[in-house]
Amino acid sequence: PEARAVLAAEQRALATLAAYTAARGGGRLRIGTSTGMGEYLDRVLDALADAEPNLRVEFVSLPAAVRLEQVARGELDAAFVRGVEAGPPEVRLIPVWHDPLLIVLSARHPLAGRAEEGLADLAELAGLPLYLTARRNNPPLVDLVVGACQDAGFEPTPGPPHSSLQDTLAALGSGVPGWSVVYGAHARQLAANRRVAFVPVCDSRGHGATPLSLPVFLAVSAHASSDRIGPLLAACRAARATDRES
């Protein structure tokens, strides 16, 4: 009994210290994320650094399902996820922004010269091989792209087996026929590659020329305190506001 009492006292002390540190803006915030978040993460970090200079932020890259599970178990304070419809019962999904998709193809392709002219029509890509990850790796992205192609009147032609984005960009940049998609925030960081072009594409399922995009959510514990998550949500709002201004 004495040993259990000592351990219980230790846990109470650690919990009190964690609450005190969080209230003072210090401590650590572990956030699950994935590749392709691009400059959005930079903006979130900048906003957090301005609001909570003593807060240490750690980004952990994991598959979406694992991110949600770790938020539910309290192993992550929060996680960014794209296009999910629901998470575990212990997780709350808060919409933070929409991430537009851009098609990426060789800079020699006729569509490349129209990158600044407005939204392209996916139907113009019918017949070109589509370089895309397997559905098991990213169901929301694959379903959105394949569904948009079907709505545009064609079934996408599967390209070679997916390896990595770097390999895909190298292949397309060398003039290999085909196309792929990247998230808009990531494309701006990849723009130095002049051998490929990034072109916005319209979603024909909506009304008018609306960009193809996936919603991004911040997954947090249903029991998370506003003191713990509030600064992160404020940073997300600041990142979204910066995107609108630009």
Side-chain angles (χ1 to χ4, degrees):
E2 287 79 6
R4 285 194 291 268
V6 170
L7 292 174
E10 180 188 23
Q11 292 302 314
R12 288 195 299 272
L14 290 173
T16 301
L17 180 60
Y20 173 78
T21 304
R24 291 179 59 85
R28 180 182 65 165
L29 197 64
R30 299 191 77 223
I31 304 172
T33 185
S34 65
T35 58
M37 299 292 294
E39 59 188 19
Y40 278 119
L41 286 188
D42 294 338
R43 296 173 188 170
V44 170
L45 276 176
D46 289 343
L48 277 174
D50 290 341
E52 304 288 340
N54 296 321
L55 183 64
R56 181 161 57 94
V57 179
E58 294 180 5
F59 287 121
V60 183
S61 181
L62 296 164
V66 179
R67 273 174 267 156
L68 291 171
E69 291 170 2
Q70 292 200 0
V71 170
R73 294 197 298 264
E75 298 170 10
L76 291 176
D77 296 295
F80 291 105
V81 289
R82 290 188 185 95
V84 298
E85 296 181 357
E90 303 86 357
V91 173
R92 182 164 55 108
L93 297 176
I94 304 172
V96 287
W97 57 69
H98 271 74
D99 206 347
L101 289 176
L102 303 182
I103 61 173
V104 53
L105 70 175
S106 171
R108 309 172 194 175
H109 192 279
L111 271 180
R114 293 168 45 191
E116 306 298 330
E117 297 178 9
L119 299 176
D121 189 343
L122 272 178
E124 298 179 71
L125 299 170
L128 278 180
L130 170 60
Y131 289 68
L132 197 61
T133 186
R135 186 182 183 277
R136 63 179 179 276
N137 297 330
N138 195 335
L141 172 66
V142 174
D143 290 347
L144 177 67
V145 173
V146 173
C149 290
Q150 292 169 342
D151 290 335
F154 71 99
E155 287 287 339
T157 302
H162 178 79
S163 54
S164 69
L165 178 59
Q166 182 178 357
D167 293 342
T168 297
L169 294 179
L172 296 176
S174 69
V176 171
W179 63 288
S180 186
V181 295
V182 295
Y183 298 109
H186 197 193
R188 287 188 280 270
Q189 293 185 330
L190 298 170
N193 186 342
R194 300 299 181 185
R195 301 176 67 186
V196 294
F198 303 94
V199 184
V201 61
C202 64
D203 184 353
S204 59
R205 291 172 291 183
H207 298 289
T210 58
L212 193 66
S213 65
L214 275 175
V216 180
F217 300 90
L218 185 68
V220 301
S221 169
H223 311 292
S225 67
S226 58
D227 289 342
R228 184 70 172 163
I229 301 301
L232 179 56
L233 286 174
C236 290
R237 288 193 292 268
R240 181 175 58 189
T242 301
D243 192 50
R244 290 173 177 171
E245 291 171 1
S246 60

